Amino acid sequence: MNMLESRYPAVSETSGKISGRAAAPAFLEVDGATVRYGNVHVLEDLSLSVAKGEFVALLGSSGCGKTTLLRTIAGFMQPVSGRIAVDGRDVTRQPPDKRGMALVFQTYALWPHMTVAQNIGYGLKLRRKPRTEIAAKVAEMQTLLGLEGLGGRKPAALSGGQRQRVALGRALAIGPDILLLDEPLSNLDARIRLTVRHEISALQKRLGITAIHVTHDREEAMVMADRIVILNAGKIAQLGTPQEVYNNPASPFVAAFMGAENVMALTAEVRGGKIGIEAGPTNRACEISCGDRSVSSGRLEARFRSEAAELLDAAASPPVSGEALILDGTVAQASYPGGVWRHVVKIGDQQVVVDSSRAFASGESVSVRVPSEALFLFDGGVSDAKGMAL
Amino acid sequence: MRRHLPGLLLVAPALAIILFLFVVPLVGAFVGAFQTNAGFGFGNFVKTYQLYSRDIVFTILIVALSAILTAAFSVAIGGYLTLGSNRLAIVLLRWLYRWPLFIPFIVVGQILRTFLAKNGLMNNIFVASGVVSPLHTFGMLDWRGVVIAFVWKQVPFVTLLLAGAMASLDRGTIEAARNLGASRLRILIEIVLPQAAPTLMVGLTLSIVTMMSVLSVPLMIASQSPTVITVDMAFRINAYGDYGVANALGLISLVLTGTVAWFYLRQTMREAAR
């Protein structure tokens, strides 16, 4: 058994997908944290609890407070109220190095005047470890991260992917309980990013380390994380497993952020576990089971993804099988991004994007069929992606 | 040739100025250093060695000590501006440290002469506050005064460059060290300073050249023997019209500053090659 495995107990078998509602004991706890920059509240009374060995992604667009939350957890920013605890120990007023956390920076922040080995070993040097132990640990990190033979190089002589791994090695070398990742992949080429994603999450599973990962990339969060925290304007918009936030968005904002950009206004009446959608100028009447949805009668906002809807010839009568919303419109534009044809369909004075395996000509009359399971319904009129009424 | 004519015409005035006001006088002084009454030779250098070897060593020591102290103060001030946690102290320091930049050397000499003298302001304050008895007052109008004046004048300049370089560092490199548990002093010495070192070297090189060429301060504070090369040069010319020895002293100054510049250039080229 090598040093790493002894430092991190082998929990790889147990650290599967942990549900958003898991009752696992909280290892890292953010309790009602409010953080301000001057007079601007960046985080508002935010609470989050993370279990040991869990990989949590903080997802949101720029300015939503995700990096601020990470920096507050790391100890580089102080909340004006609320507390942060690790394993039951209050660390709110502790300096960054007394929290058992290591941060990987977006820019990597490697020290350009030090070699790879010196960068990785610096944290151990600060802890006054014997030279032989530092050398052994550095070598182990290099092996773990595929940096063998690069120990004597300066960061300037490394590729982006290698620098990223050195930054990871520097953080992991001190054996932190919690690994904080601040958009660590955003400076990498698109192709390398895909492989590094898997490398990082495989490493995290192998070490059983608790990880918090900030990203604005939805797919990155989906692929890497056990749970996703979607932040909007300093508050948690939704928290759950990738499947939960993808399939059951809690608000129009989350639905839009998770790719359901097509939006329609509907009028409906809810009775007896069914949502009766009234016929409108562009939609046909239909009845849909409530399922997980909690909506009330009146104006509704409907959202769906372009790939989840079906495009049908208007002349052909739509298949009656299954619950679905049918919208009528005309094709305004068709393009081929690969795999499927993407159509911009004009429905009334609105436009939606719908994918189809076959191309429809521009100007053709079509029906858009949105199956019940792909249709997200929310109370209220149509709002924009920020959750504000238009 | 015709194609290049407009370009050559454009550059001609600037080139002429450099040639006539810079290259010609420099070559003249260089040649003059080897000109004696008995024709070309090393006579001026022999005379310079006999009369002023002590002053040359004195100059090197004073400038070296001033440069070391300037570096130490600049690193301390720049470091506090970059890593300090007291906002008020940083604002105050940032506002204060630049003042001497706008005060000419001659005025610095004047200020320090009245301040450092045996019956000057410094001793008056010491006596008034009971730190020193009137019998034990001490003047510093010697090498110490020159060093104080040089450091007083050069620290703001070097700090200005250094603090700028430190401020433009990736803050992440500082936070990463803090995150791993480095103290502020260690961050300054092991993280910030190595990254800002090239700028510190530029500042010190320029400072050394400046200190080597200042006449007013040593003349006002410490013109007794031993003194610095500039005072000797002025003396040779004003008292004896001896341009030969003055030129030889000038050439020696040039060799000294050139050596510093050469070390600096070699260092930057090494860094660039990496």
Side-chain angles (χ1 to χ4, degrees):
Chain A
M1 189 185 250
N2 69 24
M3 279 164 67
L4 252 173
E5 277 163 6
S6 58
R7 176 67 190 82
Y8 300 108
V11 294
S12 48
E13 295 83 4
T14 56
S15 69
K17 296 277 177 196
I18 297 166
S19 157
R21 285 174 270 279
F27 182 63
L28 169 68
E29 209 162 356
V30 179
D31 188 13
T34 297
V35 178
R36 280 194 308 217
Y37 270 127
N39 287 328
V40 183
H41 282 252
V42 187
L43 296 179
E44 280 277 14
D45 191 25
L46 190 144
S47 296
L48 171 68
S49 113
V50 179
K52 197 169 177 68
E54 202 180 2
F55 195 121
V56 170
L58 305 180
L59 179 64
S61 42
S62 41
C64 72
K66 56 189 190 299
T67 296
T68 303
L69 176 56
L70 192 81
R71 291 175 61 81
T72 306
I73 291 171
F76 289 115
M77 293 183 74
Q78 287 288 328
V80 288
S81 64
R83 71 191 268 276
I84 292 152
V86 177
D87 207 7
R89 185 171 61 99
D90 189 339
V91 297
T92 318
R93 303 286 155 202
Q94 295 280 309
D97 57 303
K98 298 278 185 286
R99 301 181 171 213
M101 303 176 188
L103 180 57
V104 175
F105 291 80
Q106 185 175 5
T107 56
Y108 313 141
L110 297 177
W111 300 304
H113 55 287
M114 294 189 196
T115 63
V116 168
Q118 286 168 332
N119 265 285
I120 296 175
Y122 190 68
L124 298 167
K125 192 176 138 194
L126 289 175
R127 281 159 181 71
R128 299 175 190 281
K129 299 283 186 211
R131 203 168 287 182
T132 48
E133 191 186 324
I134 296 177
K137 189 79 185 177
V138 168
E140 186 193 322
M141 279 296 150
Q142 282 177 249
T143 313
L144 183 75
L145 296 162
L147 293 165
E148 292 107 325
L150 300 175
R153 286 215 199 157
K154 294 273 177 73
L158 299 177
S159 71
Q162 287 168 337
R163 282 179 211 179
Q164 207 273 336
R165 277 178 277 160
V166 175
L168 208 59
R170 181 176 69 181
L172 289 173
I174 57 166
D177 296 319
I178 299 169
L179 183 65
L180 305 173
L181 303 149
D182 185 9
E183 306 212 23
L185 308 181
S186 61
N187 281 334
L188 293 177
D189 291 343
R191 278 177 62 200
I192 300 172
R193 205 180 301 163
L194 297 184
T195 49
V196 175
R197 261 185 207 171
H198 295 286
E199 282 174 14
I200 291 182
S201 57
L203 193 67
Q204 183 266 340
K205 294 274 178 290
R206 208 178 122 191
L207 301 178
I209 192 169
T210 309
I212 301 191
H213 178 121
V214 161
T215 181
H216 58 259
D217 186 328
R218 162 169 53 108
E219 199 184 306
E220 188 178 301
M222 295 285 292
V223 170
M224 295 176 77
D226 297 319
R227 272 197 304 158
I228 296 180
V229 178
I230 297 172
L231 288 167
N232 184 28
K235 288 182 178 154
I236 294 179
Q238 192 171 357
L239 189 153
T241 64
Q243 300 91 311
E244 282 168 358
V245 294
Y246 193 81
N247 295 323
N248 297 309
S251 66
F253 170 82
V254 176
F257 200 82
M258 298 310 286
E261 302 270 19
N262 293 324
V263 58
M264 295 298 301
L266 302 172
T267 310
E269 193 165 336
V270 181
R271 57 183 125 68
K274 293 273 186 187
I275 304 168
I277 296 172
E278 293 168 13
T282 54
N283 71 285
R284 301 180 197 173
C286 65
E287 203 173 53
I288 283 168
S289 314
C290 273
D292 289 341
R293 303 179 183 93
S294 59
V295 290
S296 44
S297 299
R299 303 277 292 162
L300 292 186
E301 173 178 343
R303 286 189 169 267
F304 60 94
R305 297 191 178 89
S306 59
E307 68 271 22
E310 201 182 342
L311 209 52
L312 303 164
D313 201 328
S317 61
V320 283
S321 66
E323 297 177 335
L325 173 70
I326 310 281
L327 305 165
D328 297 307
T330 52
V331 174
Q333 194 192 329
S335 60
Y336 188 71
V340 291
W341 284 88
R342 183 152 296 166
H343 301 87
V344 177
V345 180
K346 209 163 156 46
I347 294 175
D349 51 4
Q350 255 165 300
Q351 286 189 333
V352 296
V353 177
V354 183
D355 291 347
S356 171
S357 54
R358 82 170 176 90
F360 286 80
S362 188
E364 206 171 329
S365 288
V366 288
S367 298
V368 177
R369 180 178 182 276
V370 188
S372 168
E373 62 273 15
L375 183 65
F376 306 126
L377 295 173
F378 305 99
D379 281 331
V382 171
S383 61
D384 67 8
K386 288 188 179 67
M388 291 191 296
L390 284 175
Chain B
M1 188 61 211
R2 174 157 284 174
R3 210 157 50 83
H4 298 300
L5 202 61
L8 285 174
L9 279 176
L10 280 173
V11 82
L15 207 60
I17 285 175
I18 290 175
L19 271 176
F20 287 106
L21 294 182
F22 181 69
V23 177
V24 171
L26 190 69
V27 171
F30 187 86
V31 173
F34 296 93
Q35 250 169 355
T36 60
N37 294 334
F40 281 98
F42 288 95
N44 291 327
F45 288 92
V46 174
K47 202 166 169 187
T48 301
Y49 177 76
Q50 285 163 351
L51 292 173
Y52 300 117
S53 54
R54 233 165 75 91
D55 285 357
I56 292 169
V57 173
F58 182 73
T59 304
I60 294 173
L61 290 178
I62 278 197
V63 170
L65 180 63
S66 302
I68 290 167
L69 290 175
T70 302
F73 280 114
S74 299
V75 168
I77 297 173
Y80 194 83
L81 291 178
T82 314
L83 302 170
S85 54
N86 187 331
R87 300 299 311 162
L88 185 71
I90 289 176
V91 169
L92 205 67
L93 192 60
R94 192 182 306 267
W95 182 68
L96 267 180
Y97 88 83
R98 300 174 213 221
W99 280 23
L101 270 180
F102 304 99
I103 300 173
F105 266 111
I106 182 81
V107 179
V108 175
Q110 159 72 12
I111 291 170
L112 288 179
R113 191 177 170 87
T114 52
F115 184 73
L116 298 174
K118 201 165 159 55
N119 55 353
L121 185 58
M122 180 184 74
N123 279 307
N124 286 347
I125 292 171
F126 284 161
V127 171
S129 59
V131 178
V132 174
S133 78
L135 288 174
H136 294 92
T137 56
F138 56 96
M140 289 212 279
L141 296 181
D142 48 22
W143 65 271
R144 291 172 295 181
V146 176
V147 170
I148 290 172
F150 280 172
V151 172
W152 197 88
K153 184 80 178 86
Q154 289 311 115
V155 163
F157 170 70
V158 177
T159 307
L160 194 69
L161 293 179
L162 190 63
M166 286 178 173
S168 64
L169 291 181
D170 177 2
R171 291 295 298 183
T173 60
I174 295 168
E175 288 179 342
R178 252 180 83 197
N179 185 224
L180 295 178
S183 66
R184 233 174 278 227
L185 190 64
R186 280 195 89 140
I187 293 176
L188 177 62
I189 293 167
E190 294 181 352
I191 305 294
V192 172
L193 200 52
Q195 294 187 71
T199 308
L200 178 63
M201 290 307 294
V202 173
L204 287 182
T205 306
L206 296 176
S207 274
I208 286 170
V209 174
T210 304
M211 292 188 282
M212 289 290 293
S213 54
V214 172
L215 172 64
S216 54
V217 166
L219 214 52
M220 290 193 79
I221 291 180
S223 56
Q224 69 273 47
S225 182
T227 187
V228 297
I229 295 176
T230 47
V231 175
D232 295 331
M233 284 171 78
F235 179 70
R236 284 322 293 184
I237 292 170
N238 294 335
Y240 296 105
D242 182 359
Y243 284 88
V245 171
N247 282 336
L249 280 167
L251 200 60
I252 289 164
S253 289
L254 195 64
V255 168
L256 292 178
T257 52
T259 311
V260 176
W262 180 73
F263 269 112
Y264 162 68
L265 276 177
R266 203 181 59 159
Q267 186 65 27
T268 47
M269 274 158 85
R270 250 190 218 162
E271 304 255 316
R274 244 180 232 159

